[in-house]
Amino acid sequence: MGEELRRTKTELVLCIFLGWLGVHRFYAKKYGTAIIYLLTVGLFCIGWIRDIIVLAKRYFSLKKQSDTAEVVVSEEAIAQAISKEMLAGMGMREPTEEELAAARERERLAEEGKVERKRRMADQGVDVSLFTDDMVRKDALTILNSFSPSWGVLRVSVDDAEYSGDFQNLTKTGKVPKNVFNGRYGIDGAPSVPNGVHDMVSVSLRYLQDGSVNMADVHLWHNALNLTYTVRIIDGEYRVTSITTTDLATGINDTRYLDNAPTERQTAMMIINNILMG
């Protein structure tokens, strides 16, 4: 309990002060989403705020279960010391009120952009009611279960999934693009090897105007290996068009399939299954 409380407190402190850079996710070895946070200012601050709430709830739940107040104080002091040391080591400081206000403004503008893109699609006759976050969740799971049913070996839980979608911009000529909506589905899990990278799932979906999936890119992290496969429509059916792997320890890439889609779904499933189970 004490160790989990310490780690949660440290993660919470890092999230509050440096969450917009994804530092708390680097600390938790959730490297995939950590990099995304770093590049998108904490998923446009929305992910940052959500993480603060989730970690705070977890911390106070653990604190309530702690045997003594002395343990809580001790762990808090350790967490604060670690946080200060990491801040100093990176030559960083706590954000000012002005910086926090700027972050909130970026979040507001990002949300405003989503609303405006949706409105413009609706003005062009797109039935925007077809596209929902829950649709993204269902379609991502369909892709995963259809082409990589053995993804269940990953140490992840669908209860921890994060998913959302956003409409595309119109073309330069003001027309509706072929892919009108992008969906994202992701899960951060636990490491499958000691002190290794967390098992993770990331699915990117692109939708046509009728609400059907046009293409999908799937990334699975397991056993210090990143497996990536792409799904496209060929001859009227969904097929895996490429399968690649990256060894996270050596950085070596291997291409298992490229521009030569297996004619049978079972063939692609066998290749992906062998990689995940190997």
Side-chain angles (χ1 to χ4, degrees):
M1 174 68 72
E3 175 62 19
E4 186 177 2
L5 179 64
R6 182 190 69 79
R7 290 187 61 83
T8 301
K9 178 61 179 179
T10 302
E11 194 173 350
L12 175 59
V13 170
L14 292 174
C15 183
I16 292 172
F17 295 128
L18 295 168
W20 55 287
L21 291 172
V23 171
H24 62 298
R25 287 182 173 261
F26 280 111
Y27 172 79
K29 297 183 180 178
K30 299 177 179 179
Y31 300 120
T33 50
I35 293 173
I36 293 174
Y37 272 48
L38 182 63
L39 296 176
T40 62
V41 191
L43 276 180
F44 307 107
C45 295
I46 298 174
W48 177 23
I49 294 172
R50 177 193 176 282
D51 285 355
I52 291 176
I53 295 172
V54 170
L55 288 170
K57 287 182 178 179
R58 186 194 307 167
Y59 169 70
F60 286 115
S61 175
L62 291 170
K63 181 178 178 182
K64 187 176 181 180
Q65 298 173 42
S66 182
D67 293 334
T68 64
E70 286 74 18
V71 171
V72 173
V73 172
S74 175
E75 301 299 346
E76 183 174 357
I78 293 173
Q80 289 176 347
I82 293 175
S83 176
K84 289 180 179 179
E85 183 177 343
M86 290 187 70
L87 282 168
M90 291 184 292
M92 303 185 70
R93 54 174 174 72
E94 297 179 13
T96 65
E97 284 298 323
E98 291 76 12
E99 289 169 336
L100 291 174
R104 288 191 292 269
E105 178 63 9
R106 286 193 294 270
E107 179 185 355
R108 185 190 68 78
L109 291 173
E111 184 60 31
E112 186 178 283
K114 289 185 65 173
V115 173
E116 178 62 15
R117 284 188 291 275
K118 182 177 181 179
R119 183 193 68 77
R120 292 185 180 186
M121 283 291 181
D123 288 347
Q124 292 294 320
V126 176
D127 185 357
V128 296
S129 65
L130 293 174
F131 305 92
T132 65
D133 288 350
D134 194 55
M135 172 196 69
V136 172
R137 178 187 65 82
K138 292 178 180 178
D139 289 336
L141 290 175
T142 296
I143 292 291
L144 287 167
N145 293 328
S146 296
F147 294 101
S148 51
S150 54
W151 77 283
V153 301
L154 274 67
R155 298 188 63 186
V156 298
S157 170
V158 294
D159 294 334
D160 297 327
E162 298 180 4
Y163 44 90
S164 62
D166 191 8
F167 285 94
Q168 289 273 60
N169 283 304
L170 298 177
T171 66
K172 293 180 179 179
T173 57
K175 304 293 184 181
V176 175
K178 182 177 182 180
N179 297 311
V180 301
F181 189 80
N182 292 337
R184 294 168 296 277
Y185 179 94
I187 313 175
D188 278 349
S192 51
V193 293
N195 300 315
V197 177
H198 283 220
D199 280 11
M200 290 180 286
V201 175
S202 175
V203 182
S204 298
L205 303 166
R206 298 174 193 170
Y207 289 86
L208 298 172
Q209 188 171 339
D210 63 3
S212 63
V213 175
N214 184 37
M215 54 184 66
D217 297 326
V218 179
H219 302 271
L220 303 174
W221 287 264
H222 181 60
N223 285 338
L225 193 74
N226 171 224
L227 163 65
T228 298
Y229 67 88
T230 58
V231 177
R232 303 291 186 264
I233 299 177
I234 297 178
D235 296 332
E237 65 178 10
Y238 292 111
R239 283 196 208 160
V240 172
T241 56
S242 70
I243 303 174
T244 60
T245 58
T246 301
D247 187 309
L248 300 177
T250 64
I252 294 177
N253 297 327
D254 284 309
T255 300
R256 310 300 179 95
Y257 248 104
L258 182 63
D259 297 328
N260 184 18
T263 55
E264 298 292 335
R265 174 175 293 187
Q266 292 298 324
T267 303
M269 290 172 60
M270 181 180 67
I271 295 171
I272 294 171
N273 178 72
N274 289 341
I275 295 171
L276 290 176
M277 302 299 291

